[in-house]
Amino acid sequence: MPLLVQKYGGTSVGSIERIKQVAAKIIRAKRVGHDVVVVVSAMAGETNRLLGLAHEIAEIPDEREKDVLLASGEQVSVALLTLALKEVGQPARSYLGHQVRIETDSAYGKARILSIDSTKIVQAIKAGDVVVVAGFQGVDEDDNITTLGRGGSDTSAVALAAFLNAEACEIYTDVDGVFTADPGICPQARKLARISYDEMIELASTGAKVLEIRSVEFAKNYSVPVHVRSTFSDVEGTWLVNEEESMNDVLVSGVASDKNEAKITLVRVPDQPGLAAQIFGPIADAHIVVDMIIQNASEDGTTDLTFTVPKADHKKALSIMEKALPAVHAKGITVDTEIAKVSVVGVGMRTHAGVAAKMFQVLAAEGINIEMISTSEIKISVVINAKYTELAVRVLHEAFIGKQGTV
Ligand code: ADP
Ligand code: ASP
Ligand code: MG
C-alpha cells in the first residue's frame, strides 16, 4: 500500500477535541488505502511553557537538560493521539525519537538528523498499525536526547518520508497552505498552489514559519513531494515542486518577516586582517548561526562590525563577545533586540533587475529606515525597527504582489 507521512502541528493537536479530529482524519487516509506514519508536535504552547520553566531556573539553561525537558512535549502528544486512534478501533503504536533511532549530531537545540532506523516502523506498518512518531526529537550517538530546533517536527516528518520512501509528506497546519505572505499579518496574502523548493527555502529562512527550513532542504535533497495543507478543511494546499519555467515570470512570489533575530555591534574594532576570524570563530564553535554581517570601515583605522544572531542565542553570543572584547580591542558592544528582518523572495529576480531599488523606495515612502541589507540570487532582506514589521510586509506585498497579482 502506498505510504503517506502526515505531520500535525501544535495547534492541530492543541486540545483533546482536536486530537480526536486528527485521529478521524488519519483513519480516513487509512480507509482510502494508505499506510500512514504520523509525526506530531507538542500541543500548542507546550514547548514555550517548558522553555519558560527552564528559564525560571537558569538564564542560560544547560543545553543537554533543556533538550530532555523540551522533548517531553512531544511524548505527551504521541501518546494521546495513539490512545485516540485505539479508542476508535484503529491499531496504532507510538514511538519516541530514540526508539526508532532518529540519530542526530550532538548540537543540542538544533541537532541535525543523520539517520533513521526504519525496522520497527516497517514492522508495525506491516502489522496494520498507524505509526505515531514524536517530532522534534532524536538521539545522538551516545544516546543523549536531542531536539532539532523550533518547528523541527516538520523536519522529522520530511526525513521520515525520505527514509521510508513515502509517496508524499503531508504537513497539516492551521492555514490552508503556503501564502504570498503570513496571512496572520497580511489579509491580502494568497495561497500558492505550487512553490519551488528554492523559493520555499528562502521564505523559510527569512521567517515564514509555516515550514522549518531544514525540512525544505531535506525535501529538496531527497525529492520528497511535500503538501502543506489545513488540518481543519479538505481543500488542496500548496505543493513544493522543482522550479518550473513559468515561475520566472513572477518577480516576487512571497514576502516574509522575522522578529527572532537580535543585532550585535562591536564598536570600533581595529580594521586589520584576522579580526573577523577571531570574532566569528568562537561564535561558530558555540553553534550560533550568524545571519547578516556588515562592516563599516572609518578613517581612523577602526570599523564597526554589526551582525545578527537568533534572539534565543543573543545572550550566549554576548557573553562570548564580552570575553573576546580585550583581545579584539573593541571599544564596546551594543545590542538591539527590537529589530525585524523583512524579505522579498522570487526566482524571477534572477532575470529581472530593479527589485531592490523598488523595495527601498516602498519602505522610504513609509519613512521606514533600513539598518542592514543582504541579498541572494532570489531574495532581498532588510533589517528594520521591529515596530514597522507588519506595515513593511503589507506595503511590500501591495507593491510587488498586489491584490490580484499573478502567481
Ligand atoms: P504548526 O504548529 O502547524 O507547525 P506553525 O505555527 O509553525 O504551525 O506555522 C503555521 C503558521 O505560519 C501560520 O499560522 C502562519 O501564521 C505562519 N506563516 C508565516 N508565513 C506564512 C506563509 N507565507 N504562508 C502560510 N503561513 C505562514
Ligand atoms: N514543539 C516544537 C516547537 O514548538 C516543534 C514543532 O512544533 O515543530 O518548536
Ligand atoms: Mg511549525
PDB file of all heavy atoms in Angstrom, residues 310-324:
ATOM      1  N   PRO A 310      20.256  34.567  16.135  1.00  0.00           N
ATOM      2  CA  PRO A 310      18.918  34.296  16.667  1.00  0.00           C
ATOM      3  C   PRO A 310      18.764  34.930  18.050  1.00  0.00           C
ATOM      4  O   PRO A 310      19.689  34.860  18.863  1.00  0.00           O
ATOM      5  CB  PRO A 310      18.874  32.771  16.764  1.00  0.00           C
ATOM      6  CG  PRO A 310      19.917  32.295  15.793  1.00  0.00           C
ATOM      7  CD  PRO A 310      20.982  33.341  15.788  1.00  0.00           C
ATOM      8  N   LYS A 311      17.590  35.538  18.297  1.00  0.00           N
ATOM      9  CA  LYS A 311      17.360  36.191  19.587  1.00  0.00           C
ATOM     10  C   LYS A 311      17.624  35.221  20.745  1.00  0.00           C
ATOM     11  O   LYS A 311      18.188  35.597  21.767  1.00  0.00           O
ATOM     12  CB  LYS A 311      15.918  36.674  19.651  1.00  0.00           C
ATOM     13  CG  LYS A 311      15.764  38.084  20.182  1.00  0.00           C
ATOM     14  CD  LYS A 311      14.306  38.477  20.220  1.00  0.00           C
ATOM     15  CE  LYS A 311      14.092  39.766  19.451  1.00  0.00           C
ATOM     16  NZ  LYS A 311      12.703  40.185  19.404  1.00  0.00           N
ATOM     17  N   ALA A 312      17.233  33.962  20.541  1.00  0.00           N
ATOM     18  CA  ALA A 312      17.391  32.976  21.610  1.00  0.00           C
ATOM     19  C   ALA A 312      18.865  32.772  21.976  1.00  0.00           C
ATOM     20  O   ALA A 312      19.175  32.307  23.072  1.00  0.00           O
ATOM     21  CB  ALA A 312      16.772  31.647  21.195  1.00  0.00           C
ATOM     22  N   ASP A 313      19.771  33.100  21.057  1.00  0.00           N
ATOM     23  CA  ASP A 313      21.207  32.889  21.310  1.00  0.00           C
ATOM     24  C   ASP A 313      21.937  34.177  21.655  1.00  0.00           C
ATOM     25  O   ASP A 313      23.148  34.167  21.840  1.00  0.00           O
ATOM     26  CB  ASP A 313      21.885  32.290  20.056  1.00  0.00           C
ATOM     27  CG  ASP A 313      21.546  30.827  19.864  1.00  0.00           C
ATOM     28  OD1 ASP A 313      21.250  30.154  20.867  1.00  0.00           O
ATOM     29  OD2 ASP A 313      21.580  30.362  18.712  1.00  0.00           O
ATOM     30  N   HIS A 314      21.211  35.311  21.721  1.00  0.00           N
ATOM     31  CA  HIS A 314      21.971  36.568  21.792  1.00  0.00           C
ATOM     32  C   HIS A 314      22.705  36.755  23.118  1.00  0.00           C
ATOM     33  O   HIS A 314      23.785  37.329  23.148  1.00  0.00           O
ATOM     34  CB  HIS A 314      21.100  37.782  21.421  1.00  0.00           C
ATOM     35  CG  HIS A 314      20.352  38.395  22.555  1.00  0.00           C
ATOM     36  ND1 HIS A 314      19.154  37.900  22.997  1.00  0.00           N
ATOM     37  CD2 HIS A 314      20.627  39.467  23.346  1.00  0.00           C
ATOM     38  CE1 HIS A 314      18.726  38.640  23.999  1.00  0.00           C
ATOM     39  NE2 HIS A 314      19.592  39.596  24.232  1.00  0.00           N
ATOM     40  N   LYS A 315      22.135  36.183  24.193  1.00  0.00           N
ATOM     41  CA  LYS A 315      22.839  36.332  25.483  1.00  0.00           C
ATOM     42  C   LYS A 315      24.131  35.510  25.471  1.00  0.00           C
ATOM     43  O   LYS A 315      25.157  35.938  25.980  1.00  0.00           O
ATOM     44  CB  LYS A 315      21.931  35.900  26.628  1.00  0.00           C
ATOM     45  CG  LYS A 315      20.853  36.936  26.880  1.00  0.00           C
ATOM     46  CD  LYS A 315      20.111  36.705  28.160  1.00  0.00           C
ATOM     47  CE  LYS A 315      19.097  37.821  28.364  1.00  0.00           C
ATOM     48  NZ  LYS A 315      17.839  37.340  28.922  1.00  0.00           N
ATOM     49  N   LYS A 316      24.026  34.335  24.871  1.00  0.00           N
ATOM     50  CA  LYS A 316      25.216  33.482  24.769  1.00  0.00           C
ATOM     51  C   LYS A 316      26.275  34.176  23.888  1.00  0.00           C
ATOM     52  O   LYS A 316      27.452  34.240  24.249  1.00  0.00           O
ATOM     53  CB  LYS A 316      24.814  32.131  24.163  1.00  0.00           C
ATOM     54  CG  LYS A 316      25.792  31.030  24.445  1.00  0.00           C
ATOM     55  CD  LYS A 316      25.140  29.653  24.313  1.00  0.00           C
ATOM     56  CE  LYS A 316      25.080  29.226  22.868  1.00  0.00           C
ATOM     57  NZ  LYS A 316      24.595  27.890  22.623  1.00  0.00           N
ATOM     58  N   ALA A 317      25.812  34.737  22.762  1.00  0.00           N
ATOM     59  CA  ALA A 317      26.742  35.428  21.854  1.00  0.00           C
ATOM     60  C   ALA A 317      27.393  36.608  22.565  1.00  0.00           C
ATOM     61  O   ALA A 317      28.600  36.855  22.430  1.00  0.00           O
ATOM     62  CB  ALA A 317      26.004  35.905  20.608  1.00  0.00           C
ATOM     63  N   LEU A 318      26.590  37.305  23.357  1.00  0.00           N
ATOM     64  CA  LEU A 318      27.090  38.466  24.069  1.00  0.00           C
ATOM     65  C   LEU A 318      28.157  38.067  25.084  1.00  0.00           C
ATOM     66  O   LEU A 318      29.214  38.714  25.187  1.00  0.00           O
ATOM     67  CB  LEU A 318      25.912  39.125  24.788  1.00  0.00           C
ATOM     68  CG  LEU A 318      26.010  40.604  25.021  1.00  0.00           C
ATOM     69  CD1 LEU A 318      26.203  41.338  23.705  1.00  0.00           C
ATOM     70  CD2 LEU A 318      24.702  41.100  25.682  1.00  0.00           C
ATOM     71  N   SER A 319      27.900  36.977  25.794  1.00  0.00           N
ATOM     72  CA  SER A 319      28.885  36.600  26.805  1.00  0.00           C
ATOM     73  C   SER A 319      30.182  36.131  26.129  1.00  0.00           C
ATOM     74  O   SER A 319      31.278  36.393  26.629  1.00  0.00           O
ATOM     75  CB  SER A 319      28.314  35.579  27.804  1.00  0.00           C
ATOM     76  OG  SER A 319      28.419  34.290  27.300  1.00  0.00           O
ATOM     77  N   ILE A 320      30.074  35.507  24.958  1.00  0.00           N
ATOM     78  CA  ILE A 320      31.294  35.125  24.220  1.00  0.00           C
ATOM     79  C   ILE A 320      32.042  36.386  23.772  1.00  0.00           C
ATOM     80  O   ILE A 320      33.252  36.506  23.910  1.00  0.00           O
ATOM     81  CB  ILE A 320      30.922  34.254  22.985  1.00  0.00           C
ATOM     82  CG1 ILE A 320      30.370  32.907  23.437  1.00  0.00           C
ATOM     83  CG2 ILE A 320      32.118  34.065  22.064  1.00  0.00           C
ATOM     84  CD1 ILE A 320      29.756  32.078  22.331  1.00  0.00           C
ATOM     85  N   MET A 321      31.281  37.357  23.268  1.00  0.00           N
ATOM     86  CA  MET A 321      31.897  38.598  22.785  1.00  0.00           C
ATOM     87  C   MET A 321      32.547  39.385  23.914  1.00  0.00           C
ATOM     88  O   MET A 321      33.614  39.974  23.749  1.00  0.00           O
ATOM     89  CB  MET A 321      30.837  39.485  22.116  1.00  0.00           C
ATOM     90  CG  MET A 321      30.411  39.047  20.744  1.00  0.00           C
ATOM     91  SD  MET A 321      31.753  39.083  19.546  1.00  0.00           S
ATOM     92  CE  MET A 321      32.324  37.429  19.554  1.00  0.00           C
ATOM     93  N   GLU A 322      31.887  39.392  25.081  1.00  0.00           N
ATOM     94  CA  GLU A 322      32.454  40.140  26.203  1.00  0.00           C
ATOM     95  C   GLU A 322      33.808  39.563  26.601  1.00  0.00           C
ATOM     96  O   GLU A 322      34.738  40.297  26.917  1.00  0.00           O
ATOM     97  CB  GLU A 322      31.483  40.161  27.388  1.00  0.00           C
ATOM     98  CG  GLU A 322      30.555  41.363  27.274  1.00  0.00           C
ATOM     99  CD  GLU A 322      29.238  41.206  28.026  1.00  0.00           C
ATOM    100  OE1 GLU A 322      29.056  40.187  28.719  1.00  0.00           O
ATOM    101  OE2 GLU A 322      28.395  42.106  27.889  1.00  0.00           O
ATOM    102  N   LYS A 323      33.901  38.230  26.519  1.00  0.00           N
ATOM    103  CA  LYS A 323      35.202  37.607  26.835  1.00  0.00           C
ATOM    104  C   LYS A 323      36.250  37.972  25.787  1.00  0.00           C
ATOM    105  O   LYS A 323      37.419  38.162  26.087  1.00  0.00           O
ATOM    106  CB  LYS A 323      35.044  36.079  26.892  1.00  0.00           C
ATOM    107  CG  LYS A 323      34.445  35.614  28.205  1.00  0.00           C
ATOM    108  CD  LYS A 323      34.524  34.104  28.359  1.00  0.00           C
ATOM    109  CE  LYS A 323      33.412  33.645  29.293  1.00  0.00           C
ATOM    110  NZ  LYS A 323      32.392  32.827  28.644  1.00  0.00           N
ATOM    111  N   ALA A 324      35.786  38.077  24.521  1.00  0.00           N
ATOM    112  CA  ALA A 324      36.732  38.330  23.422  1.00  0.00           C
ATOM    113  C   ALA A 324      37.117  39.808  23.316  1.00  0.00           C
ATOM    114  O   ALA A 324      38.084  40.165  22.651  1.00  0.00           O
ATOM    115  CB  ALA A 324      36.122  37.859  22.108  1.00  0.00           C
TER     116      ALA A 324
END
